[in-house]
Amino acid sequence: MISYLKPGISTFPTFSYFHISRKSTFVQKFSMPPALLYYAIPFFVLLLLIEAWFSYREQKKLYEVKDTFSSLALGIGNVLTGLISKAIIFAVFMLVYKFRLFSLNASHWWVWVLAFFADDFSYYWFHRASHHIGWFWASHVVHHSSQKYNLSAALRQTWTGNITGAFIFWLWMPLVGFHPVVVLTMQSISLIYQFWIHTEVIHVLPRPVEFIFNTPSHHRVHHGTDLQYLDKNHAGILIIWDRMFGSFKKEESRPVYGLTKNIGSFNPVIVAFKTWSDLFRKANHAGSFKNAINYFIQPPGWSHDGSSKTTRQLKDEYDKRNVNL
């Protein structure tokens, strides 16, 4: 079945896409998705300035100058690297889309609803994997590296996530029939949503909102280094996935932000690549090929000699100490 999408059919973001099938002839025309995330950047900066002014006026000390500029530099780097990497990912999605199992016509509103849930579900598992697999953590660690929790931290993004395979968690979407433009558009919407939850200014929202959606309270937990908060609340927009899959944790006290072992630098280049450097160095001195591979596939903190520990190991040790008391 051939789907025709033409500008003006729906109120959703439009794009040029059509099939012409005539005997053995197949012609396809497409364009990149709207740059929603780039359009949102001026609003991000405005809200950041408002929060910084509020912090200064109320003496909240939510911001630190060097930390903020590091976050902004990492955000700019993410945008610049994304200009190339996202084009490559789009091409990969288009390739997969050619072998799709179904054709989901994006002029139907329900396709966008399905895409919303599919994208958010994919993001949850990508995000969860990024906290449980060393290879993905080496990119994602950048976002957790600030010891401040404010709107500038939302802009602290990886330079290597796209090129190291984060997109594989969304490959199933074009395969089942979501056009790559739809997939990338939903990814942008998810990232735009997640900007505002990086704040301590908003405390707790009404219970129905807190039950269904990812909120500042839920995401503060995710950025906490406290043992009870580690590897919790991986949601993008909907917190229901964490509730369903056992990774939800309610905020009980103000978290300590950053990493269990902080990078110790505001230099954006060091922040972007130090964990990758450490990962390859440890693998190179692992003593065996199996140990070397484990550094990339085991959770962050795994070590062949016990010199560092995973979240699971730290929690097990804590439980044993409590039992012995």
Side-chain angles (χ1 to χ4, degrees), residues 13 50-51 61 65 70 87 90 104 134 141 233-234 240 243 256-257 267 270 273 296 315 320:
I50 293 173
E51 185 186 52
K61 298 182 179 180
V65 174
S70 179
F90 182 70
L104 299 174
V141 67
N233 298 359
H234 303 295
I240 58 173
R243 296 184 185 277
V256 176
Y257 303 111
N267 185 321
I270 293 176
F273 296 109
F296 294 98
K315 289 183 177 180
K320 288 180 181 178

Side-chain angles (χ1 to χ4, degrees), residues 38 75-85:
Y38 298 161
I76 293 170
N78 175 265
V79 170
L80 295 177
T81 57
L83 293 174
I84 298 175
S85 61

Side-chain angles (χ1 to χ4, degrees), residues 5 10 12-13 15 104-109 111-112 179 182:
L5 304 185
S10 74
F12 296 107
F15 50 90
L104 299 174
N105 192 322
S107 65
H108 300 308
W109 64 268
V111 170
W112 289 88
H179 192 280
V182 175

Side-chain angles (χ1 to χ4, degrees), residues 120-141 144 164-170 222 231-235 242 245 247 276 279 294-301 311:
D120 206 52
F121 181 75
S122 300
Y123 180 86
Y124 170 80
W125 287 108
F126 150 71
H127 199 180
R128 184 165 177 164
S130 295
H131 282 257
H132 290 82
I133 300 174
W135 174 265
F136 293 114
W137 174 248
S139 290
H140 187 61
V141 67
H144 285 263
T164 54
F167 65 90
I168 65 174
F169 291 89
W170 283 265
H222 180 71
D231 297 341
K232 298 295 183 181
N233 298 359
H234 303 295
D242 286 289
F245 298 111
S247 54
W276 280 112
L279 190 63
N294 275 329
Y295 275 106
F296 294 98
I297 65 175
Q298 292 290 342
T311 297

